[in-house]
Amino acid sequence: MSVNANIAGLHSPEELKAALTDAQYVASPALATSAYLSLALSKPLLLEGAPGVGKTEAAKALGGVLGRNVIRLQCYEGIDAAAALYEWNYPRQMLALRQFQDSEVNLYGTQFLLERALLTALRNPTDTLLLIDEIDRADQEFEAFLLEFLSDFTITIPETGTERASRPPVVILTSNRTRDLHEALRRRCVYHWIDYPDPALEAQIVLTRASTVADATAQAVVASVNLMRAEPLAKPPGVAETIEWAEAATLLNTQGAIWPEAFARAIGVAIKDQDDLAYLAPKLDQILPGQAA
Amino acid sequence: MRQVLDPFFALATALRQAGFAVSPDQTIGFIEAVGVLGARGINDVYLSALALFAIPPERREEFDAIFRAIFAGQLVAADADSDDDDIDAVEPTDETIEIEVEEAEEPTGDEATAAERLAQRAIQTDRDALRVFRDQAAARLPRRLSYRRQRSRKGDRIDLRRALKAAARTDGDLMVLPQSRRKTRQRRIVCLVDVSGSMKDRSDALLGFAHTLVQSAEKAEVFTLGTRLTRITTGLQLSDQDAALNRVAQSVSDIDGGTRIGEALQAYLAVPRYAGFARGALVVVLSDGLERDDPAAMIDASARLSRLAWRLHWLTPLAADPGFAPKTAGLMGILPWLDDLGDGSTAQAISDHVLGIARAA
């Protein structure tokens, strides 16, 4: 099996993990292995997990490591091929039509075509990374369309013909699992379930991403966030919230707030739902970090 | 060479037998992946299998047991973690007997505890009331606007693509302005069925309605609320009602158990995926709302549900009585959060109520 050019210079999952760490993303060994396999086997990578575990971040970091532009397609309910693939620039076509009334004009020339994310990735498979974000929000029809796109990377534009990618582009899909994806789509991908990182890893992430935060603060915040995630909250704090909370508390502390109070004052950064705050209020004493100087 | 690959094929076969959807493509991908990593150790093989067979997190333990059996020569225990799968049931004589519980299809809430007797009963339903629902569902269930557009004589936007095509035929002059409007789609319906002891006489009728709902609505999700929360949508997708209800009866092990509606609703909201189902949906709770303990949890959960949902309707069998008024602390407490409190005594009453909800998109 020939090694795929997508992973030139990376000879093992461990090397990829180290490169991701250099790009400010601390990946678990399992995630590094899945990402490595997806690149080596030229299959899309499907990352599933709760909101805020760092799925989109992983894709961006991977784009950085590979030196590719990340093209993000944000899915939503009702997204269709026109929003994802291409659209004709109708006003320009209309103007051209009136301008050249008596002569021939090709209304479907490239100057009238508006590229969308999938077409851009298809045309530049070597220097882009296609991120299809929150695929679970799109509906079944779009998923079926995407399945077709991912199986042979071919697009047919009725007015101009068929385009095929010269190489399979690098594709990452993320899902918050608000609904189950179709089996066929999962099968086509290399799959990885991103869980909340374990405390040691999360503390490492905080220290990597937030240079101002002291080691002890990071440990305390992570321990506290893990207690919060054990509660039945509507919006459990994600990794981004952990980082922001540690940063915000540190900032308040440098401005003179004493430690436990700094955490309490910055709690709005970690818990962003009024009901959750109300629910946690009586338990805050046990949950908030104590001294973290 | 073939012999070296034997355990890899054996793993794929064992997974398939355990009900994992494994395709030949995935098996080939898995073997390629092991080749790419150079098989430096069993951990590489394990991670490759997880990634290429797309093992969802809730079936990880099951997968682990199968993997160990193939690659470490252990026998697969019928249940890898027997301590969790058996529930102590206390007999009146105070003797403790271990009862084997059927594996539920979906992850469920807390295990039913000792005092809550497990009862699995054959479920029968009144079919006539539901045939009407099935026939009229497509025309009468609530709808919402979709982002997609369709041609329309009285649209709200000019359809430029078609305008251009028309203009091209007439040298750039526009004779008509084609228009488009947004399509509509059926809203998701989330049905939460109370199967606790106080609803015992009704559960057949309610589950019969739930089956018809899943069969006839474009998008529907059904959960049972008892001593545990169980998602039964998958079981109800079988088109034969008897087969579907038998399957549900097997996966719901707490029919006629105690009443903890509040806790079950909280459990529902605590799973982000389930809470997501309720967003923008019509949520119908089929329950008498008789909470044995403090109703605070039930009230709080109803408030949160109502904020997620498009409409929250609570149908109680008690409302069949003309003199019914919500008098319990629980029902009084949830009243401000409900869009409607209606009659949930029979499949007929529930069908009529759901079909009667205004279709406003």
Side-chain angles (χ1 to χ4, degrees):
Chain A
M1 153 127 212
S2 63
V3 168
N4 187 314
N6 285 338
I7 45 170
L10 296 167
H11 303 294
S12 70
E14 290 73 25
E15 286 184 26
L16 178 60
K17 185 176 179 318
L20 284 169
T21 308
D22 292 342
Q24 300 272 294
Y25 187 88
V26 185
S28 69
L31 171 58
T33 305
S34 298
Y36 182 84
L37 286 175
S38 111
L39 294 171
L41 302 172
S42 296
K43 285 177 181 273
L45 175 64
L46 169 59
L47 300 175
E48 262 194 336
V53 291
K55 300 184 291 293
T56 307
E57 283 300 313
K60 289 179 177 166
L62 202 59
V65 165
L66 300 172
R68 290 164 174 255
N69 288 330
V70 177
I71 301 176
R72 181 157 174 257
L73 176 69
Q74 171 66 52
C75 296
Y76 53 87
E77 199 171 18
I79 187 172
D80 58 359
L85 269 181
Y86 69 92
E87 185 65 288
W88 292 105
N89 191 339
Y90 301 113
R92 278 192 67 182
Q93 285 176 316
M94 197 71 88
L95 282 171
L97 192 61
R98 298 194 71 94
Q99 205 177 341
F100 301 103
Q101 268 185 355
D102 303 328
S103 55
E104 285 272 316
V105 56
N106 176 13
L107 280 181
Y108 297 106
T110 46
Q111 73 270 36
F112 298 114
L113 189 71
L114 301 171
E115 271 184 14
R116 301 278 191 246
L118 296 187
L119 188 57
T120 311
L122 188 87
R123 289 181 168 177
N124 313 294
T126 50
D127 44 19
T128 57
L129 180 148
L130 176 63
L131 165 61
I132 300 172
D133 221 359
E134 300 188 348
I135 171 73
D136 53 324
R137 287 193 187 192
D139 37 33
Q140 308 277 359
E141 296 94 327
F142 186 72
E143 212 177 310
F145 159 78
L146 206 58
L147 187 67
E148 201 180 352
F149 171 81
L150 292 176
S151 55
D152 53 6
F153 296 109
T154 305
I155 289 175
T156 302
I157 301 175
E159 295 86 352
T160 60
T162 300
E163 294 201 30
R164 171 182 287 265
S166 53
R167 296 226 318 253
V170 177
V171 183
I172 297 186
L173 299 99
T174 75
S175 157
N176 289 336
R177 214 163 181 224
T178 55
R179 67 178 178 82
D180 285 340
L181 298 177
H182 201 285
E183 278 298 332
L185 187 68
R186 293 161 52 96
R187 268 187 213 150
R188 191 154 308 285
C189 301
V190 174
Y191 176 85
H192 182 71
W193 171 261
I194 302 196
D195 224 330
Y196 288 116
D198 59 58
L201 183 63
E202 193 166 11
Q204 196 190 338
I205 293 171
V206 172
L207 294 170
T208 309
R209 298 304 284 268
S211 51
T212 55
V213 176
D215 201 344
T217 313
Q219 306 277 4
V221 164
V222 167
S224 169
V225 162
N226 273 297
L227 289 175
M228 289 176 181
R229 285 177 193 153
E231 300 288 344
L233 301 180
K235 290 269 177 292
V239 179
E241 278 77 23
T242 314
I243 298 166
E244 286 171 8
W245 194 28
E247 278 183 318
T250 305
L251 178 69
L252 290 176
N253 176 254
T254 52
Q255 293 171 351
I258 49 169
W259 264 119
E261 191 200 341
F263 287 119
R265 276 175 54 192
I267 196 166
V269 177
I271 300 291
K272 297 172 178 172
D273 181 293
Q274 181 52 40
D275 290 333
D276 288 349
L277 274 175
Y279 175 84
L280 286 176
K283 310 183 179 190
L284 273 186
D285 287 347
Q286 290 99 58
I287 287 180
L288 281 181
Q291 296 302 111
Chain B
M1 182 68 204
R2 178 64 215 241
Q3 282 189 342
V4 178
L5 294 179
D6 274 350
F8 299 99
F9 288 116
L11 177 64
T13 310
L15 287 174
R16 210 172 283 135
Q17 282 165 349
F20 288 86
V22 171
S23 70
D25 275 0
Q26 284 175 294
T27 312
I28 293 165
F30 161 58
I31 292 169
E32 281 183 339
V34 174
V36 165
L37 296 179
R40 297 163 304 175
I42 196 73
N43 196 39
D44 280 351
V45 179
Y46 175 77
L47 290 177
S48 302
L50 271 188
L52 272 297
F53 289 127
I55 304 297
E58 70 271 8
R59 300 192 71 181
R60 181 76 67 87
E61 283 182 10
E62 213 180 327
F63 169 82
D64 287 354
I66 294 170
F67 187 87
R68 273 199 307 270
I70 303 281
F71 286 96
Q74 303 172 9
L75 286 174
V76 181
D79 36 10
D81 41 357
S82 55
D83 295 350
D84 295 348
D85 282 1
D86 295 351
I87 290 165
D88 294 342
V90 179
E91 292 290 289
T93 56
D94 272 345
E95 277 182 10
T96 303
I97 300 171
E98 293 224 317
I99 295 180
E100 286 270 326
V101 180
E102 289 279 344
E103 268 281 47
E105 280 282 335
E106 293 284 333
T108 48
D110 295 329
E111 298 283 12
T113 53
E116 287 142 2
R117 306 294 311 280
L118 305 173
Q120 297 180 356
R121 301 176 293 118
I123 297 170
Q124 297 190 330
T125 56
D126 164 18
R127 304 189 172 205
D128 292 344
L130 298 173
R131 200 165 294 129
V132 179
F133 184 89
R134 194 175 291 224
D135 292 344
Q136 303 198 342
R140 288 176 61 187
L141 288 180
R143 300 183 76 78
R144 61 170 175 78
L145 281 179
S146 140
Y147 273 98
R148 298 180 189 234
R149 309 187 69 82
Q150 62 186 30
R151 294 161 67 156
S152 156
R153 294 174 60 126
K154 288 192 203 157
D156 57 355
R157 192 182 292 177
I158 294 167
D159 186 341
L160 279 169
R161 174 187 284 251
R162 287 181 37 243
L164 181 90
K165 283 208 162 133
R169 283 195 292 270
T170 55
D171 284 346
D173 291 322
L174 273 173
M175 301 307 204
V176 284
L177 267 185
Q179 300 183 23
S180 70
R181 64 179 168 84
R182 283 167 73 178
K183 283 184 178 177
T184 61
R185 295 199 56 176
Q186 217 173 73
R187 278 184 190 278
R188 190 195 308 272
I189 299 180
V190 177
C191 185
L192 304 173
V193 186
D194 182 349
V195 292
S196 60
S198 61
M199 296 285 287
K200 182 174 174 175
D201 308 341
R202 315 274 176 191
S203 51
D204 298 357
L206 304 190
L207 290 170
F209 168 77
H211 175 257
T212 306
L213 177 71
V214 170
Q215 291 296 318
S216 48
E218 279 173 32
K219 292 193 210 168
E221 288 287 340
V222 184
F223 295 80
T224 57
L225 312 172
T227 48
R228 310 190 291 180
L229 173 83
T230 314
R231 176 171 178 250
I232 58 171
T233 316
T234 323
L236 294 175
Q237 276 159 351
L238 292 173
S239 59
D240 179 69
Q241 189 167 76
D242 290 336
L245 294 191
N246 274 328
R247 195 164 147 184
V248 167
Q250 282 177 20
S251 64
V252 180
S253 56
D254 55 351
I255 288 187
D256 306 345
T259 315
R260 292 194 206 142
I261 307 166
E263 277 180 43
L265 287 177
Q266 297 278 9
Y268 174 84
L269 289 165
V271 180
R273 185 169 143 233
Y274 294 168
F277 290 149
R279 193 179 297 279
L282 165 67
V283 179
V284 181
V285 183
L286 306 176
S287 163
D288 52 14
L290 297 178
E291 192 77 320
R292 210 182 303 160
D293 310 322
D294 180 12
M298 181 168 94
I299 295 165
D300 173 66
S302 305
R304 286 165 58 193
L305 252 180
S306 78
R307 279 195 294 270
L308 277 176
W310 169 71
R311 295 276 188 280
L312 174 59
H313 287 230
W314 196 289
L315 305 182
T316 163
L318 307 176
D321 177 358
F324 166 79
K327 292 199 182 74
T328 58
L331 275 182
M332 301 269 285
I334 60 172
L335 214 46
W337 305 108
L338 300 184
D339 294 291
D340 202 350
L341 178 66
D343 176 3
S345 56
T346 60
Q348 172 87 52
I350 298 167
S351 305
D352 288 353
H353 180 96
V354 173
L355 289 177
I357 294 170
R359 304 197 40 180

